[in-house]
């Protein structure tokens, strides 16, 4: 595809469940960022990859959050034991002009 | 203190009005600056970059004051289609082509007919 894609677009999880959110970047884009956007807030930086290397994970809110990009292309953001405060839109981006549509996570 | 601060609004303006949004940032090491537009339930879209010399794109003018750590966006002749949230964004990047974007909370603009 021509842009960044994310799946699923919507995810409802029961509190305590694990979830995995996928980002398919534009082919050849080296940088990949994950952001979390809570309702009424701007996106907040979570983590950054350059190819397969995770160079910055300073924004991950807890050790329940884990991200990987093993082959330097597709990335997965995993949230273990989801909590209600994890409800947000999770955005993937490969540059200032290249944001995916986001995954809206609702934890019930 | 948040790294990027904006008035959340909402700004309710009539069509044809001129509206200005302001934003301040706290980190003087910030490298570059942007305004984004975000429609309801959509991803943010880059509206324009912001330069010290000021830059204009049609009805939109952006300005940066590095000494005051202040960024502005001016929209002239507002259209109904300008209704959206405008996000002030600072790049704390790693140098080169990479970008670590720090977003403000956004300012909601509602243009009324």
């Amino acid at each position: 595809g021509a842009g960044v894609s994310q799946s699923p677009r919507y995810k409802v999880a029961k509190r305590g469940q694990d979830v995995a959110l996928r980002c398919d970047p534009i082919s050849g884009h080296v940088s990949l960022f994950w952001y979390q956007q809570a309702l009424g807030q701007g996106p907040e930086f979570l983590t950054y990859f350059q190819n397969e290397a995770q160079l910055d994970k300073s924004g991950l809110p807890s050790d329940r959050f884990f991200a990987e990009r093993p082959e330097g292309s597709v990335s997965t953001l995993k949230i273990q034991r989801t909590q209600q405060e994890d409800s947000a839109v999770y955005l993937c981006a490969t540059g200032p002009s290249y944001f995916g549509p986001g995954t809206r996570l609702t934890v019930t | 203190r948040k790294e990027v601060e904006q008035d959340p609004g909402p700004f309710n303006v009539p069509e044809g009005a001129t509206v200005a949004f302001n934003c301040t940032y706290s980190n003087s090491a910030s490298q570059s600056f942007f305004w984004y537009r975000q429609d309801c339930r959509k991803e943010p879209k880059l509206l324009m970059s912001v330069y010290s010399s000021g830059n204009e794109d049609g009805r939109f003018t952006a300005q940066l004051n590095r000494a005051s750590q202040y960024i502005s966006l001016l929209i002239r002749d507002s259209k109904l289609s300008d209704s959206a949230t405008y996000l002030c964004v600072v790049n704390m990047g790693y140098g080169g082509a990479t970008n670590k974007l720090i977003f403000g909370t956004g300012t909601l603009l509602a243009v009324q007919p």
Side-chain angles (χ1 to χ4, degrees):
Chain A
V4 179
S5 60
Q6 293 187 244
S7 60
R9 293 293 311 278
Y10 302 92
K11 176 72 180 175
V12 179
K14 285 189 165 43
R15 190 160 57 93
Q17 280 185 329
D18 297 349
V19 298
L21 313 180
R22 178 184 168 111
C23 172
D24 282 81
I26 297 168
S27 178
H29 280 206
V30 167
S31 299
L32 188 147
F33 298 83
W34 283 98
Y35 293 87
Q36 179 192 57
Q37 186 171 21
L39 191 64
Q41 302 296 314
E44 294 208 2
F45 170 82
L46 293 178
T47 188
Y48 161 60
F49 289 87
Q50 186 171 11
N51 294 306
E52 69 279 3
Q54 189 174 20
L55 299 187
D56 186 342
K57 50 183 181 179
S58 61
L60 295 176
S62 78
D63 59 8
R64 295 186 297 104
F65 286 70
F66 172 75
E68 60 183 6
R69 195 185 184 198
E71 295 175 2
S73 178
V74 170
S75 178
T76 304
L77 176 67
K78 297 179 179 177
I79 310 173
Q80 296 177 323
R81 304 181 305 282
T82 51
Q83 303 294 316
Q84 282 197 307
E85 64 262 26
D86 301 335
S87 295
V89 175
Y90 291 85
L91 294 159
C92 175
T94 60
S97 299
Y98 305 106
F99 274 78
T103 294
R104 183 174 298 273
L105 173 66
T106 303
V107 181
T108 60
Chain B
R1 183 185 170 195
K2 277 185 165 289
E3 290 187 76
V4 179
E5 297 213 46
Q6 294 181 251
D7 181 344
F11 282 52
N12 295 298
V13 302
E15 266 187 296
T18 295
V19 61
F21 303 135
N22 304 314
C23 163
T24 56
Y25 61 96
S26 60
N27 193 328
S28 58
S30 303
Q31 297 185 6
S32 52
F33 309 87
F34 307 95
W35 282 101
Y36 277 70
R37 171 195 169 123
Q38 187 170 29
D39 293 286
C40 189
R41 302 179 84 85
K42 299 283 193 183
E43 71 272 23
K45 290 196 187 299
L46 180 61
L47 181 64
M48 58 198 303
S49 300
V50 189
Y51 306 112
S52 297
S53 53
N55 49 304
E56 191 172 305
D57 183 2
R59 298 181 293 107
F60 297 81
T61 300
Q63 191 77 47
L64 165 66
N65 183 321
R66 276 193 186 269
S68 303
Q69 296 182 196
Y70 173 93
I71 304 162
S72 64
L73 177 69
L74 185 77
I75 306 175
R76 290 180 299 278
D77 188 24
S78 303
K79 312 288 185 197
L80 293 176
S81 57
D82 294 333
S83 297
T85 295
Y86 290 83
L87 296 155
C88 176
V89 183
V90 165
N91 174 22
M92 292 304 301
Y94 304 92
T98 57
N99 300 275
K100 177 178 180 178
L101 303 180
I102 307 298
F103 287 79
T105 54
T107 299
L108 180 62
L109 172 66
V111 181
Q112 314 287 343

